[in-house]
Amino acid sequence: MKEWFQEISDEFVLNFIKDNRWEWIVEGLKNTLIITFFATLIGIAIGIIIATVRSTYDKNYETMKKHKSLGFYVLSFFNFVCKLYLTVIRGTPVVVQLLIMYFIILSFSNDEATIAIITFGINSGAYVAEIFRSGVMSIDKGQFEAGRSLGFNYIQTMIFIVVPQMFKIVLPTLCNEFIVLLKETSIAGYVGIVDLTKAGDLIRGRTFSAFMPLIAVAIIYLVLVMLFTWLVGKLERRLRNSDH
Amino acid sequence: MTTNETLIKVESLEKAFGEIQVLKGITTDIKKGEVVVVIGPSGSGKSTFLRTLNLLEEPTGGKIYFEGTDITDPQVNINLHRQKMGMVFQQFNLFPHMTVLKNMTIGPIKLQGISKKEAEKRALALLERVGLADRADAYPSQLSGGQKQRVAIVRALCMQPEVMLFDEPTSALDPEMVGEVLDVMKSLANEGMTMVVVTHEMGFAREVADRVIFIDEGIIMEENTPDELFSNPKSSRLQDFLGKVI
């Protein structure tokens, strides 16, 4: 037992204490959090825009088709662009997207973290957009009609009546998307970013001891996800106060 | 209470959903202060007729004049006119994420630009009238069906509309709650509110209506005062229909 404990302790010192290797983990964690945070913001922004275009198109297609005004063609065009974006982003692996961004589209840039943020943001936006859209479509038509019959225009009805209800419905799914995003950033090492995963792997490469660094990385991810889930759970309970 | 002033003028109104022609040319005038009850078999187009009046359904033909303005004209800002046409739905359609008070005041505050305080005063007075003042801070999910529909009525009234449109307001209610909603509607009618009511409540039609319109197969088959229409139906369709519902 004592030997076993000594072994663990030696391993720990070797992997984290010696040469201040724990600093890599901290650095990696910082990068992972920065990339996830800003990619989330971009993802939500893109998601809102795409979902707005797509659900406006879906809801008004029938009426607008009859008038064939300029607005109809503009909306149809944007809807097409959005659909194309969704198809391409959801149809290709995010690793490939990251490599394309790094080596082709943004090859002039040396700022790997920014490239990663943009890539993950654009990727996440596609999924968030569909989450929002399905949320909007799931709101009862009567809510929309009640808003319009009071005299609200389309956008006011969305903002005051549909979106607040939609947000509550999609919150668990949205939370899930960000958990996926957090874990997906672990591929950032592909383009030379020292994120949490890469940091663990670098330590492994130096110490030739895989167990400690990789398990430590796994535990950190797990704790982050659990913390985030707990926070969202609290928010969900707060929002639920209107349905008893 | 009926006056001679026309509030809504409907001219050969048509509505088709794809190939299916639901309204086949409806012409009628609704006077200020008049209570018009629309009856007819299900699928006759009576709900569609009501919903075209505030353009929730866009007509495919004909015209609707509200206070002299042709609201079927695409150039007209329909949102302004809808503010003056209160609507009550079969399924209540209260906003579940807002309290009763917020449900009522959001329209006046955001659309008529009155202060929150003034809007709440207006709302509370209306809630008082329908006996729900103590429920102002409740959420819709905490109310019974009858209470929900009474709130839906005062929410529409809070906009101080010129006309109230009722789309089968008691059809989704448990029988013991129908009375409380009809009572509110009766008192509204007695105060001179212009009302168009689609309903299956023949007792209400008989008692409150100034005029009853019988719609079948997308046209007005017969219209008359309730006394005449119920005691002396002329068309065989109406005789059939009344035989089934009374």
Side-chain angles (χ1 to χ4, degrees), chain B residues 170-214:
Chain B
T170 56
S171 298
L173 295 175
D174 290 337
E176 77 267 25
M177 292 173 180
V178 170
E180 62 191 73
V181 171
L182 291 182
D183 284 344
V184 171
M185 291 167 63
K186 275 178 209 163
S187 78
L188 204 55
N190 290 335
E191 283 166 33
M193 174 61 80
T194 313
M195 294 163 61
V196 185
V197 185
V198 171
T199 188
H200 294 290
E201 295 290 332
M202 296 304 150
F204 176 83
R206 214 185 269 269
E207 193 181 334
V208 184
D210 295 310
R211 177 161 54 112
V212 178
I213 294 178
F214 174 63

XYZ file of all heavy atoms in Angstrom, chain B residues 170-214:
340
model
N -66.368 30.235 -25.882
C -66.721 29.301 -24.796
C -66.553 27.841 -25.203
O -66.818 26.940 -24.418
C -68.189 29.514 -24.353
O -69.034 29.365 -25.491
C -68.378 30.880 -23.751
N -66.071 27.594 -26.425
C -66.037 26.214 -26.929
C -65.003 25.346 -26.235
O -65.111 24.133 -26.221
C -65.775 26.202 -28.433
O -66.828 26.858 -29.091
N -63.954 25.963 -25.679
C -62.909 25.155 -25.040
C -63.110 25.074 -23.525
O -62.243 24.591 -22.818
C -61.537 25.739 -25.359
N -64.250 25.559 -23.048
C -64.449 25.630 -21.592
C -65.265 24.458 -21.071
O -66.110 23.906 -21.776
C -65.198 26.922 -21.237
C -64.473 28.227 -21.512
C -65.401 29.396 -21.208
C -63.214 28.328 -20.669
N -65.003 24.105 -19.827
C -65.872 23.142 -19.170
C -67.250 23.778 -19.011
O -67.348 24.986 -18.793
C -65.320 22.791 -17.778
C -64.043 21.980 -17.881
O -63.850 21.341 -18.930
O -63.246 22.021 -16.928
N -68.308 22.979 -19.094
C -69.665 23.544 -19.092
C -69.932 24.509 -17.924
O -70.587 25.537 -18.114
C -70.556 22.310 -18.989
C -69.747 21.211 -19.567
C -68.319 21.528 -19.281
N -69.383 24.194 -16.736
C -69.739 25.051 -15.608
C -69.049 26.412 -15.677
O -69.341 27.302 -14.884
C -69.439 24.350 -14.273
C -67.987 24.325 -13.860
C -67.272 23.053 -14.319
O -67.724 22.444 -15.308
O -66.266 22.690 -13.689
N -68.141 26.584 -16.631
C -67.433 27.858 -16.727
C -67.949 28.739 -17.859
O -67.526 29.874 -18.012
C -65.948 27.606 -16.935
C -65.305 26.993 -15.713
S -63.642 26.521 -16.038
C -63.205 25.866 -14.430
N -68.845 28.167 -18.654
C -69.348 28.922 -19.798
C -70.090 30.169 -19.322
O -69.925 31.261 -19.869
C -70.260 28.021 -20.662
C -70.999 28.828 -21.715
C -69.432 26.926 -21.323
N -70.880 29.993 -18.262
C -71.727 31.078 -17.781
C -70.951 32.338 -17.420
O -71.331 33.443 -17.817
N -69.843 32.170 -16.688
C -69.100 33.343 -16.236
C -68.543 34.156 -17.404
O -68.468 35.386 -17.334
C -67.973 32.917 -15.272
C -66.931 31.998 -15.874
C -65.988 31.395 -14.824
O -66.413 30.502 -14.060
O -64.830 31.833 -14.788
N -68.174 33.451 -18.481
C -67.638 34.160 -19.648
C -68.765 34.863 -20.403
O -68.643 36.025 -20.804
C -66.869 33.184 -20.572
C -66.503 33.852 -21.884
C -65.615 32.678 -19.866
N -69.890 34.158 -20.558
C -71.024 34.774 -21.256
C -71.538 35.996 -20.497
O -71.956 36.985 -21.113
C -72.153 33.746 -21.439
C -71.856 32.613 -22.420
C -73.065 31.688 -22.537
C -71.467 33.142 -23.786
N -71.492 35.932 -19.158
C -71.937 37.083 -18.364
C -71.105 38.324 -18.668
O -71.641 39.428 -18.801
C -71.854 36.758 -16.859
C -72.985 35.843 -16.425
O -73.966 35.728 -17.205
O -72.886 35.241 -15.343
N -69.781 38.114 -18.767
C -68.906 39.242 -19.099
C -69.266 39.803 -20.471
O -69.354 41.015 -20.675
C -67.420 38.809 -19.068
C -66.525 39.910 -19.619
C -67.004 38.439 -17.657
N -69.507 38.891 -21.411
C -69.836 39.332 -22.765
C -71.174 40.068 -22.804
O -71.338 41.044 -23.527
C -69.850 38.133 -23.711
C -68.458 37.546 -23.931
S -68.475 35.945 -24.723
C -69.189 36.343 -26.307
N -72.115 39.590 -21.995
C -73.429 40.256 -21.951
C -73.299 41.675 -21.427
O -73.878 42.611 -21.987
C -74.383 39.476 -21.044
C -75.092 38.344 -21.748
C -75.982 37.577 -20.751
C -76.095 36.133 -21.190
N -76.576 35.247 -20.127
N -72.524 41.824 -20.352
C -72.412 43.169 -19.785
C -71.694 44.095 -20.757
O -71.995 45.282 -20.851
C -71.697 43.128 -18.430
O -70.320 42.989 -18.593
N -70.771 43.521 -21.510
C -70.066 44.301 -22.525
C -71.049 44.770 -23.597
O -71.038 45.933 -24.017
C -68.988 43.407 -23.143
C -67.793 44.051 -23.797
C -67.106 44.989 -22.828
C -66.834 42.967 -24.269
N -71.913 43.864 -24.000
C -72.913 44.202 -25.020
C -73.856 45.292 -24.505
O -74.191 46.229 -25.228
C -73.700 42.953 -25.402
N -74.229 45.168 -23.246
C -75.147 46.156 -22.674
C -74.537 47.548 -22.600
O -75.249 48.550 -22.573
C -75.583 45.721 -21.275
C -76.509 44.518 -21.340
O -77.178 44.298 -22.360
N -76.512 43.716 -20.287
N -73.202 47.591 -22.535
C -72.547 48.894 -22.484
C -72.379 49.523 -23.851
O -71.832 50.620 -23.979
C -71.159 48.755 -21.851
C -71.209 48.626 -20.353
C -69.885 48.151 -19.814
O -68.845 48.505 -20.412
O -69.896 47.423 -18.827
N -72.792 48.785 -24.870
C -72.757 49.381 -26.201
C -71.538 49.039 -27.015
O -71.279 49.665 -28.043
N -70.753 48.053 -26.577
C -69.596 47.638 -27.365
C -70.061 46.971 -28.652
O -71.007 46.193 -28.639
C -68.740 46.673 -26.534
C -67.573 46.028 -27.268
S -66.350 47.197 -27.886
C -65.408 47.531 -26.409
N -69.406 47.288 -29.745
C -69.664 46.591 -30.994
C -69.016 45.218 -30.904
O -67.856 45.113 -30.542
C -69.042 47.356 -32.178
O -69.372 48.730 -32.058
C -69.515 46.812 -33.501
N -69.794 44.187 -31.184
C -69.254 42.839 -31.032
C -69.630 41.962 -32.218
O -70.751 42.003 -32.695
C -69.791 42.188 -29.736
C -69.294 42.871 -28.472
S -70.241 42.469 -26.981
C -70.024 40.723 -26.825
N -68.671 41.164 -32.658
C -68.954 40.102 -33.622
C -68.561 38.806 -32.938
O -67.423 38.627 -32.532
C -68.151 40.276 -34.926
C -68.567 39.220 -35.941
C -68.337 41.677 -35.496
N -69.539 37.918 -32.769
C -69.319 36.724 -31.958
C -69.628 35.470 -32.769
O -70.747 35.294 -33.233
C -70.222 36.744 -30.701
C -69.898 35.559 -29.804
C -70.091 38.050 -29.944
N -68.619 34.633 -32.937
C -68.862 33.312 -33.510
C -69.081 32.370 -32.340
O -68.242 32.282 -31.447
C -67.653 32.830 -34.341
C -67.829 31.378 -34.756
C -67.477 33.713 -35.572
N -70.227 31.698 -32.312
C -70.508 30.864 -31.139
C -71.512 29.764 -31.454
O -72.216 29.800 -32.470
C -71.034 31.723 -29.968
O -71.117 30.921 -28.803
C -72.391 32.311 -30.282
N -71.532 28.786 -30.588
C -72.569 27.751 -30.665
C -73.603 27.957 -29.561
O -74.490 27.124 -29.391
C -71.935 26.361 -30.515
C -71.031 26.001 -31.638
N -71.503 25.733 -32.899
C -69.687 25.906 -31.721
C -70.487 25.473 -33.697
N -69.366 25.572 -33.003
N -73.448 29.029 -28.787
C -74.362 29.282 -27.678
C -75.621 29.976 -28.199
O -75.682 31.197 -28.288
C -73.687 30.176 -26.622
C -72.510 29.526 -25.941
C -72.927 28.389 -25.024
O -74.062 28.428 -24.499
O -72.119 27.456 -24.853
N -76.635 29.196 -28.547
C -77.839 29.765 -29.144
C -78.602 30.634 -28.135
O -79.228 31.625 -28.497
C -78.748 28.657 -29.676
C -78.120 27.882 -30.802
S -77.601 28.950 -32.169
C -76.217 28.036 -32.789
N -78.507 30.252 -26.859
C -79.170 31.050 -25.823
C -78.610 32.467 -25.796
O -79.347 33.451 -25.705
N -77.288 32.557 -25.895
C -76.627 33.850 -25.910
C -77.056 34.657 -27.131
O -77.387 35.844 -27.034
C -75.098 33.643 -25.914
C -74.307 34.909 -26.027
C -74.044 35.675 -24.907
C -73.821 35.342 -27.252
C -73.315 36.857 -25.001
C -73.091 36.517 -27.362
C -72.841 37.277 -26.228
N -77.092 33.989 -28.284
C -77.489 34.663 -29.517
C -78.899 35.240 -29.382
O -79.163 36.409 -29.693
C -77.426 33.680 -30.685
N -79.787 34.419 -28.880
C -81.177 34.825 -28.724
C -81.317 36.024 -27.785
O -82.072 36.955 -28.055
C -81.943 33.649 -28.116
C -83.366 33.502 -28.562
C -83.987 32.376 -27.753
N -83.863 31.079 -28.403
C -84.812 30.613 -29.221
N -85.877 31.327 -29.486
N -84.676 29.427 -29.761
N -80.550 35.992 -26.720
C -80.707 36.989 -25.670
C -79.994 38.303 -25.979
O -80.497 39.380 -25.690
C -80.155 36.400 -24.360
C -80.535 37.183 -23.129
C -79.925 36.551 -21.880
O -79.656 35.326 -21.899
O -79.699 37.274 -20.913
N -78.807 38.200 -26.557
C -77.937 39.375 -26.651
C -77.837 39.958 -28.058
O -77.666 41.166 -28.222
C -76.513 39.028 -26.125
C -75.624 40.252 -26.134
C -76.604 38.452 -24.722
N -77.949 39.118 -29.074
C -77.654 39.591 -30.424
C -78.669 40.610 -30.918
O -79.854 40.552 -30.582
C -77.608 38.413 -31.387
N -78.189 41.579 -31.693
C -79.083 42.456 -32.449
C -79.416 41.790 -33.774
O -80.476 41.981 -34.328
C -78.401 43.790 -32.721
C -78.132 44.549 -31.433
O -79.075 44.688 -30.637
O -76.981 44.970 -31.225
N -78.453 41.005 -34.253
C -78.624 40.354 -35.548
C -77.862 39.044 -35.516
O -76.788 38.957 -34.932
C -78.065 41.265 -36.645
C -78.110 40.709 -38.055
C -77.978 41.834 -39.080
N -76.798 42.634 -38.838
C -75.736 42.654 -39.654
N -75.716 41.924 -40.749
N -74.695 43.413 -39.378
N -78.459 38.035 -36.120
C -77.786 36.740 -36.209
C -77.536 36.431 -37.680
O -78.420 36.603 -38.519
C -78.626 35.610 -35.570
C -77.924 34.264 -35.715
C -78.895 35.904 -34.100
N -76.296 36.040 -37.973
C -75.932 35.676 -39.346
C -75.718 34.177 -39.385
O -74.979 33.631 -38.576
C -74.629 36.397 -39.768
C -74.855 37.902 -39.849
C -74.125 35.855 -41.093
C -73.601 38.681 -40.223
N -76.386 33.511 -40.310
C -76.176 32.077 -40.483
C -75.311 31.863 -41.718
O -75.719 32.168 -42.839
C -77.530 31.356 -40.630
C -77.401 29.897 -40.960
C -76.794 29.014 -40.068
C -77.882 29.398 -42.164
C -76.681 27.660 -40.378
C -77.776 28.045 -42.470
C -77.169 27.180 -41.569
